[in-house]
Amino acid sequence: MKSNIYNWFFLILRRDLLLAFRRSSTYITPLIFFLIVISFFPIALSPDQDFLRSLAPGVIWIAALLSSLLAIETIFSEDFRDGTLDEFFISNDPSFVLVFAKVLCHWFVTGFPILLASIISALILYLPLSSLLPMICSLILGTFFMSLLGAIGAALSLGKSAILSAIIVLPFSIPTLLMGTAAVASAIDYQDFSGFLLIMGAMLAIGIPGLCLLTVEAILLNYE
Amino acid sequence: MNKMWNYIKDWFIEMGSPPLFFKWSSKILPWLMLVTFVVFILGLAWGLFYSPTDYKQGDVYRIIYIHVPSAILGQSIFMFMAVCGFITMVWRVKISGMLLKSAAPIGASFTLLALLTGSIWGKPTWGTWWVWDARLTSTLILFFIYAAIIGLHSSIDNKSRADRAISILSIVGIAIIPIIKKSVDWWQTLHQPSTFTLTSAPSMTPDMYQPLLVCVLGFYLVFALLLTMNLRAEVVAREKNRSWVSKQLLNVDK
């Protein structure tokens, strides 16, 4: 028999992805939200090309943060409500893997569409092509970190309002926001951007075990 | 060594049991009040009236005697909360969760005080209420994190569960606050040259520095005093149906 953890991991991942894709709103909503927020900036501020180009990294990153948090409370709440989460925790399989699979699924469903939409928004905000690569790399790392943070926020505010988990998570997302915008902005100025990506990768490397374990603790609070 | 550790742990847990804590804290509270009052007044009076006037800023700089201690307190209270959170998570000591809960509003107030006094100080010296300086920004974010912790606690009805929830949050916070500080510093150097630094007074003389130290000590004592009072209120509120509360507070046997 092959390692049980992997079976368990892929089982949950497949189940969650299937659930998400059966309901198209889960991956369409963040995408549309992202594009709407992006398109509001030229409308509200100015359609001037140079101005928008200087604004673009920040705009794209703020929109990405907000839209990745948009559906975060659904990551555990549905399973919690119908009792599936109880079954997961009763089973002998490691709950750490469960949380990681759920975070990964959430990233596939929200982070990945945002990634595609960010390419479109880079065009409409006149970002130079050279900054496309750091933007995508930083978004991959950053939205995954946001999914991890969002999971802990969602677990702590399970059964509460969605705005609460946003308030919990947003202050902690500042490093991601700064590093992400700095990476794109330095690519626009033809500077070295790898340092910012490395820091984001390091944060992710610490965040995956650390935040997943704390998320497990946070979910267990609801079963006392 | 192990025996010693167990002994210390047991002693702390015993001292932290609500009835015992209530008893010994009522004994030390008057003394704590007295010491706090003396040190606080001494520090502030020394700083505000007897320290030399700054040659560049004039008397305006004296706000430093409130601003700097409250900024220091805002950060060290968060560290204190993270330690409490760790103890709550690992050993499930009830009182440390209550400590964490009672410290949060005090820390938030000191951070807010640091922000307010900073902007009052900024107006005459920098000519503006607010600058997006690295330290100002990270203090503002620290305040947001305090707000998130307080908001989370008040949203959960079961108080001991709420304590554990905010202990998780404070642990995440203590891990991420250094990263926030560093990244904000980077952001500063990347986007604009730092025009202002908070220590506008050129290298302080001992005459200015000594009262500042006393003020910092005084603010720590104020924190200890407020924390004790907050914690006593919290303990009584949570254990109001227990017989020791009515015995202690009302002198009646239930």
Side-chain angles (χ1 to χ4, degrees):
Chain A
M1 198 168 104
K2 269 185 77 181
S3 171
N4 212 358
I5 289 183
Y6 289 105
N7 293 342
W8 168 242
F9 175 74
F10 285 116
L11 193 75
I12 295 169
L13 194 62
R14 230 193 74 202
R15 169 187 173 272
D16 278 13
L17 283 177
L18 207 63
L19 275 175
F21 283 108
R22 291 268 163 81
R23 198 184 309 143
S24 56
S25 74
T26 47
Y27 54 91
I28 300 274
T29 322
L31 187 73
I32 300 294
F33 181 79
F34 182 85
L35 287 174
I36 289 175
V37 171
I38 291 282
S39 63
F40 271 19
F41 278 89
I43 295 168
L45 296 171
S46 147
D48 177 56
Q49 281 203 14
D50 287 331
F51 176 69
L52 281 179
R53 185 177 297 132
S54 67
L55 221 57
V59 168
I60 289 174
W61 261 98
I62 290 173
L65 288 191
L66 292 181
S67 43
S68 74
L69 286 182
L70 190 65
I72 196 70
E73 90 280 359
T74 57
I75 187 170
F76 299 120
S77 68
E78 299 230 322
D79 284 350
F80 180 64
R81 217 176 299 134
D82 65 13
T84 320
L85 208 59
D86 309 26
E87 299 293 331
F88 282 142
F89 273 91
I90 289 168
S91 74
N92 271 329
D93 299 293
S95 38
F96 170 85
V97 177
L98 163 82
V99 169
F100 184 62
K102 283 201 163 288
V103 169
L104 198 61
C105 170
H106 179 262
W107 183 78
F108 273 130
V109 171
T110 62
F112 197 65
I114 288 171
L115 221 56
L116 299 179
S118 72
I119 298 172
I120 303 170
S121 46
L123 291 176
I124 62 175
L125 294 178
Y126 311 109
L127 266 182
L129 274 180
S130 61
S131 64
L132 216 56
L133 180 71
M135 185 189 76
I136 289 172
C137 290
S138 65
L139 275 175
I140 290 175
L141 296 169
T143 49
F144 199 92
F145 192 75
M146 281 312 293
S147 294
L148 280 168
L149 270 181
I152 201 167
L156 284 172
S157 62
L158 210 54
K160 307 281 177 339
S161 66
I163 195 78
L164 181 69
S165 69
I167 286 175
I168 292 171
V169 169
L170 279 175
F172 295 110
S173 68
I174 304 278
T176 313
L177 179 67
L178 287 178
M179 294 294 156
T181 48
V184 183
S186 51
I188 294 177
D189 298 341
Y190 300 104
Q191 283 167 349
D192 184 30
F193 55 80
S194 57
F196 300 110
L197 294 182
L198 289 177
I199 295 266
M200 291 177 86
M203 275 165 55
L204 195 59
I206 299 170
I208 287 174
L211 289 175
C212 280
L213 283 175
L214 284 172
T215 308
V216 171
E217 279 295 314
I219 296 172
L220 286 177
L221 285 183
N222 296 290
Y223 293 111
E224 284 190 351
Chain B
M1 194 62 209
N2 213 2
K3 224 173 181 179
M4 184 90 165
W5 162 246
N6 277 339
Y7 181 75
I8 293 172
K9 205 173 73 181
D10 288 349
W11 185 78
F12 267 106
I13 287 173
E14 199 191 326
M15 285 294 122
S17 85
L20 249 165
F21 162 75
F22 200 82
K23 216 180 246 169
W24 67 258
S25 67
S26 355
K27 266 181 212 142
I28 65 154
L29 202 59
W31 297 102
L32 186 61
M33 250 180 218
L34 187 72
V35 174
T36 306
F37 190 73
V38 168
V39 175
F40 190 68
I41 296 294
L42 184 78
L44 276 189
W46 191 3
L48 294 184
F49 300 114
Y50 296 105
S51 65
T53 310
D54 188 72
Y55 79 96
K56 218 163 146 194
Q57 294 189 17
D59 280 332
V60 172
Y61 96 96
R62 285 179 202 278
I63 203 168
I64 198 175
Y65 295 112
I66 297 170
H67 175 73
V68 169
S70 45
I72 291 176
L73 257 284
Q75 292 174 9
S76 35
I77 291 175
F78 202 94
M79 268 183 252
F80 173 78
M81 281 165 58
V83 172
C84 287
F86 186 76
I87 294 171
T88 315
M89 288 272 292
V90 177
W91 290 289
R92 307 275 162 100
V93 184
K94 219 202 285 174
I95 198 102
S96 75
M98 293 188 203
L99 263 174
L100 176 53
K101 192 256 159 178
S102 334
I106 307 173
S109 321
F110 275 124
T111 314
L112 189 62
L113 188 66
L115 286 171
L116 289 179
T117 50
S119 85
I120 290 169
W121 194 8
K123 188 63 187 167
T125 48
W126 301 341
T128 164
W129 296 107
W130 183 263
V131 202
W132 286 101
D133 171 80
R135 260 199 272 191
L136 273 75
T137 314
S138 49
T139 310
L140 185 66
I141 295 163
L142 182 68
F143 178 70
F144 289 152
I145 294 178
Y146 272 122
I149 288 178
I150 296 170
L152 180 64
H153 194 281
S154 68
S155 78
I156 301 175
D157 290 331
N158 182 338
K159 286 303 164 203
S160 68
R161 192 202 289 172
D163 286 346
R164 305 253 311 281
I166 61 171
S167 67
I168 293 175
L169 206 55
S170 64
I171 289 170
V172 178
I174 207 71
I176 225 159
I177 280 175
I179 305 176
I180 291 176
K181 277 198 161 308
K182 265 265 127 1
S183 60
V184 169
D185 279 348
W186 271 20
W187 161 69
Q188 250 300 309
T189 51
L190 190 81
H191 278 247
Q192 60 186 77
S194 54
T195 357
F196 307 106
T197 48
L198 277 181
T199 47
S200 343
S203 65
M204 288 178 111
T205 64
D207 298 4
M208 293 179 182
Y209 200 68
Q210 284 154 2
L212 187 60
L213 284 182
V214 180
C215 274
V216 171
L217 183 66
F219 270 67
Y220 269 107
L221 284 168
V222 167
F223 166 61
L225 181 66
L226 290 177
L227 183 67
T228 315
M229 287 160 77
N230 249 2
L231 184 60
R232 280 161 62 85
E234 188 69 30
V235 163
V236 171
R238 294 230 189 141
E239 309 241 323
K240 56 179 179 289
N241 295 327
R242 307 279 290 276
S243 61
W244 69 265
V245 174
S246 43
K247 237 184 251 169
Q248 284 273 335
L249 286 181
L250 311 169
N251 293 320
V252 285
D253 277 310
K254 225 181 195 175

